[in-house]
Amino acid sequence: MAPMGIRLSPLGVAVFCLLGLGVLYHLYSGFLAGRFSLFGLGGEPGGGGAAGPAAAADGGTVDLREMLAVSVLAAVRGGDEVRRVRESNVLHEKSKGKTREGAEDKMTSGDVLSNRKMFYLLKTAFPNVQINTEEHVDAADQEVILWDRKIPEDILKEIATPKEVPAESVTVWIDPLDATQEYTEDLRKYVTTMVCVAVNGKPVLGVIHKPFSEYTGYKVLALLDVPDKSQEKADLYIHVTYIKKWDICAGNAILKALGGHMTTLSGEEISYTGSDGIEGGLLASIRMNHQALVRKLPDLEKTGHK
């Protein structure tokens, strides 16, 4: 497929609305199932990684099939809160301050309540795993949200055997409401909830849920040919300013599973451990020579995050 154009934008919240990557409820096709399981769960992610607050040398192991199942459930549960608050039309909107680009960094009840459901569902299921989230987690609002530990049949059908990794090697990134500005303006098609699982800093599982979508099932959206006519399409995305990792991790995992690439503007792989964001901008592509694109870029990295 020929490139459909290059998009330049300082808005991190829009990155995956433009890319259109998504995994929602049921596997879209055998192609996706095979590619997703091969990349996300078929590797050998041994070695060290970022340990969570409760993790230790004897922190045990995590079955990535279970992690995928609970990540999907968390994204859906968070999405339920996002949709409920938006339909109540009582958002309790406020500003968290300014972004580096000078825009209002907004927060609503949808962000807060979605975050609570997603964080505590994941934390209850996997207490020894580090979980990074965009919103502050208030200990006073702590919940114990139980999961029955049943892995859905569609996951077991595609990934028949356990895929275990050390718990201390796992970092989870959650975005309880991406596109908050659009959410406050009732532009519902841009709103997502996202969960990403990284092992030793490499994104291996990504879930992107659209709470207001009429579709059910896991779906890959605009970078593949799917019947969502409203979805914007692109082969290439460039972001030149600072961006938070929970905004990009899930899409990175899915994009890589489908044979695409996401790197900094200088072509370096993005590590999903350590700091919450990246300074070097990003380049995402599919069906293209990614390193050739990197070489053709102007020197955007030095000016993109001033």
Side-chain angles (χ1 to χ4, degrees), residues 73-243:
L73 183 60
V76 173
R77 292 274 183 88
D80 290 343
E81 294 297 303
V82 167
R83 187 175 61 252
R84 182 180 63 81
V85 170
R86 180 62 267 183
E87 291 175 351
S88 75
N89 208 31
V90 183
L91 304 185
H92 297 293
E93 178 184 338
K94 63 181 181 180
S95 174
K96 296 188 290 185
K98 298 283 188 179
T99 67
R100 292 192 180 191
E101 293 76 38
E104 290 290 338
D105 190 7
K106 292 185 177 181
M107 182 175 67
T108 68
S109 293
D111 297 82
V112 173
L113 296 175
S114 173
N115 186 66
R116 186 186 304 174
K117 292 293 183 185
M118 294 174 72
F119 180 87
Y120 285 115
L121 175 58
L122 286 158
K123 197 62 179 175
T124 302
F126 300 102
N128 290 338
V129 165
Q130 177 174 321
I131 302 173
N132 296 334
T133 178
E134 182 174 14
E135 303 300 337
H136 174 72
V137 179
D138 192 339
D141 295 327
Q142 182 172 352
E143 296 185 52
V144 176
I145 304 177
L146 298 179
W147 175 51
D148 60 13
R149 308 204 76 84
K150 291 181 179 179
I151 303 174
E153 287 298 323
D154 56 354
I155 294 176
L156 291 175
K157 181 180 178 181
E158 301 297 338
I159 312 162
T161 59
K163 301 293 181 180
E164 294 189 346
V165 297
E168 62 265 25
S169 72
V170 177
T171 306
V172 180
W173 297 84
I174 63 176
D175 190 344
L177 199 170
D178 192 58
T180 299
Q181 176 65 45
E182 289 81 357
Y183 182 68
T184 63
E185 297 170 4
D186 208 16
L187 298 173
R188 302 185 181 197
K189 70 177 183 178
Y190 298 108
V191 175
T192 60
T193 60
M194 299 191 284
V195 181
C196 178
V197 178
V199 178
N200 299 321
K202 297 180 179 181
V204 298
L205 298 174
V207 178
I208 302 176
H209 172 55
K210 298 183 75 173
F212 302 103
S213 173
E214 64 186 25
Y215 295 106
T216 57
Y218 280 158
K219 292 184 183 291
V220 171
L221 303 180
L223 290 186
L224 296 181
D225 296 325
V226 296
D228 186 350
K229 301 303 182 182
S230 67
Q231 183 68 52
E232 296 185 56
K233 296 181 183 293
D235 294 314
L236 174 64
Y237 182 82
I238 299 174
H239 186 92
V240 299
T241 58
Y242 176 83
I243 192 168

Side-chain angles (χ1 to χ4, degrees), residues 2-20:
M4 299 181 67
I6 296 176
R7 299 176 183 268
L8 285 167
S9 171
L11 299 177
V13 296
V15 61
F16 291 111
C17 295
L18 297 176
L19 279 176

Side-chain angles (χ1 to χ4, degrees), residues 252-272:
N252 194 345
I254 299 167
L255 183 61
K256 193 167 184 178
L258 297 173
H261 303 274
M262 182 183 294
T263 66
T264 65
L265 295 179
S266 59
E268 298 173 348
E269 294 294 325
I270 299 167
S271 175
Y272 292 94

